[in-house]
Amino acid sequence: MKELKDYIRTIPNFPKEGIMFRDVTTVFQDAEGLQLAINSIQESLSNLDFDVIVAPESRGFLFGIPIAYNMKKSFVPVRKKGKLPYETIEESYDLEYGTETLEIHKDSISKGTKVVIIDDLIATGGTIEAIIKLVERLGGEVIKISCLIELPTLKGREKIKDYEISSSVIFDGE
């Protein structure tokens, strides 16, 4: 039986020179890999008291929605600027190869809502940090962050060190 890490393809120099891109499409293309990934993230949330899963487009959606469904929780999307149809708040951040702005609907999180953030990857921590800021500006409380992959050499965990974090696969200097 293969390990979860075996389903993740590494593409050197994408999207630019020097980046080792961790491609999760190969996880989705294999039924066993997909089950391992979803189960791994979902298990990290077992016995956790929370109300909603928040995840960024697009790969975060692919993990967050089935887990929200399985755990009977609601799901809130965080999207790139200009993609959500209702009133939003936004947060800009840096990533390892550029900058981005994320938005969330103003009415998606209420004061006191207990939130789990799910994404495919923690790299520099910029995406997750921006999501935390959005959730907290709306009055939500981030209970946990759970990702499929973590790249510790990019020190993303340092930006979000005040939160409980779990990662299913670690690519440490590989």
Side-chain angles (χ1 to χ4, degrees):
M1 183 174 180
K2 291 167 66 172
E3 292 183 30
L4 183 51
K5 193 173 194 176
D6 298 330
Y7 291 96
I8 301 166
R9 175 173 39 201
T10 299
I11 303 172
N13 303 313
F14 180 84
K16 71 176 200 174
E17 190 70 29
I19 302 289
M20 297 295 281
F21 187 81
R22 306 306 176 169
D23 180 16
V24 296
T25 61
T26 48
V27 172
F28 301 130
Q29 292 168 355
D30 187 287
E32 183 178 286
L34 179 58
Q35 286 186 332
L36 282 172
I38 297 296
N39 290 343
S40 175
I41 296 171
Q42 188 170 311
E43 285 170 15
S44 77
L45 307 176
S46 64
N47 301 318
L48 191 65
D49 178 28
F50 69 98
D51 304 308
V52 63
I53 291 175
V54 172
E57 68 175 81
S58 62
R59 294 179 307 267
F61 289 3
L62 299 173
F63 293 110
I65 290 174
I67 294 168
Y69 175 83
N70 288 344
M71 298 185 82
K72 296 176 178 51
K73 303 294 182 182
S74 58
F75 178 84
V76 172
V78 173
R79 300 210 57 200
K80 292 177 183 169
K81 186 175 176 129
K83 300 292 184 179
L84 290 172
Y86 188 61
E87 293 177 41
T88 62
I89 60 170
E90 67 180 49
E91 186 70 36
S92 295
Y93 65 100
D94 294 322
L95 24 79
E96 62 270 30
Y97 46 83
T99 60
E100 190 62 72
T101 300
L102 294 177
E103 294 182 324
I104 191 170
H105 280 142
K106 283 183 176 181
D107 64 351
S108 62
I109 304 284
S110 307
K111 184 175 172 81
T113 301
K114 295 177 183 174
V115 174
V116 167
I117 298 171
I118 293 179
D119 202 1
D120 68 320
L121 174 76
I122 298 174
T124 64
T127 303
I128 300 291
E129 183 182 40
I131 295 168
I132 290 168
K133 289 177 180 177
L134 291 168
V135 167
E136 290 179 347
R137 280 176 38 211
L138 292 174
E141 177 188 358
V142 176
I143 302 298
K144 185 166 187 174
I145 299 156
S146 188
C147 294
L148 183 68
I149 301 168
E150 184 173 352
L151 307 176
T153 56
L154 296 177
K155 302 182 185 336
R157 193 176 274 258
E158 292 175 14
K159 284 185 181 173
I160 54 177
K161 66 180 182 276
D162 295 334
Y163 301 87
E164 184 180 344
I165 305 163
S166 66
S167 306
S168 301
V169 176
I170 307 287
F171 282 97
D172 196 7
E174 300 172 45

